[in-house]
């Protein structure tokens, strides 16, 4: 299964709903899809992982690359919609200490928008 991202703007926040697996075969595709969409004007980003069945270490690294691009004080980033399995992967690897994880898209958009 390939990776796909559906984009929309909500209250000044770019939201990407991801579908597929972000494994070693698709991590660069995921990163290219995100990079291809982002502009310098995008200062708020939420990636919704509800449609992601699996995230490998390569996928986590790709997420970290995106998070680092939003590390400046005027830029905000978060992810949401992780399945329990993917949340456990993030937790065991310690990536949940590096990337802000929200339960739902609505909570994520609100938090990223308000900060």
């Amino acid at each position: 299964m390939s990776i796909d991202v559906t984009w929309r703007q909500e209250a000044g926040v770019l939201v990407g709903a991801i579908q597929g697996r972000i494994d070693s075969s698709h991590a660069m595709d995921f990163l290219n899809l995100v990079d291809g969409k982002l502009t310098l004007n995008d200062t708020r980003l939420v990636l919704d992982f509800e449609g992601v069945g699996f995230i490998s270490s390569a996928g986590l690294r790709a997420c970290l690359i995106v998070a680092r691009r939003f590390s400046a004080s005027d830029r905000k980033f978060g992810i949401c919609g992780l399945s329990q399995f993917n949340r456990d992967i993030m937790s065991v690897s310690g990536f949940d200490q590096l990337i802000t994880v929200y339960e739902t898209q609505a909570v994520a958009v609100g938090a990223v928008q308000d900060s």
Side-chain angles (χ1 to χ4, degrees):
M1 175 182 216
S2 65
I3 192 87
D4 188 43
V5 182
T6 304
W7 298 101
R8 68 182 177 80
Q9 284 280 341
E10 182 177 329
V13 178
L14 180 62
V15 178
I18 305 158
Q19 294 288 319
R21 292 173 54 96
I22 308 176
D23 55 20
S24 59
S25 298
H26 297 103
M28 284 307 298
D29 295 336
F30 163 71
L31 196 52
N32 289 334
L33 285 169
V34 173
D35 282 344
K37 180 63 177 176
L38 293 176
T39 69
L40 292 175
N41 295 328
D42 294 315
T43 60
R44 306 282 189 262
L45 175 65
V46 168
L47 294 177
D48 187 338
F49 285 74
E50 187 173 349
V52 175
F54 176 74
I55 303 171
S56 71
S57 60
L60 291 175
R61 283 190 300 277
C63 291
L64 187 57
I65 290 168
V66 173
R68 286 184 177 155
R69 292 181 182 151
F70 280 80
S71 64
S73 62
D74 63 333
R75 300 171 70 88
K76 302 298 176 196
F77 170 71
I79 64 173
C80 64
L82 290 169
S83 67
Q84 187 60 53
F85 180 77
N86 287 334
R87 183 176 284 279
D88 291 345
I89 291 171
M90 294 266 310
S91 178
V92 166
S93 65
F95 275 76
D96 61 342
Q97 302 299 310
L98 305 171
I99 300 171
T100 306
V101 178
Y102 301 96
E103 284 296 317
T104 67
Q105 189 179 111
V107 171
V109 168
V112 168
Q113 179 187 31
D114 292 338
S115 53

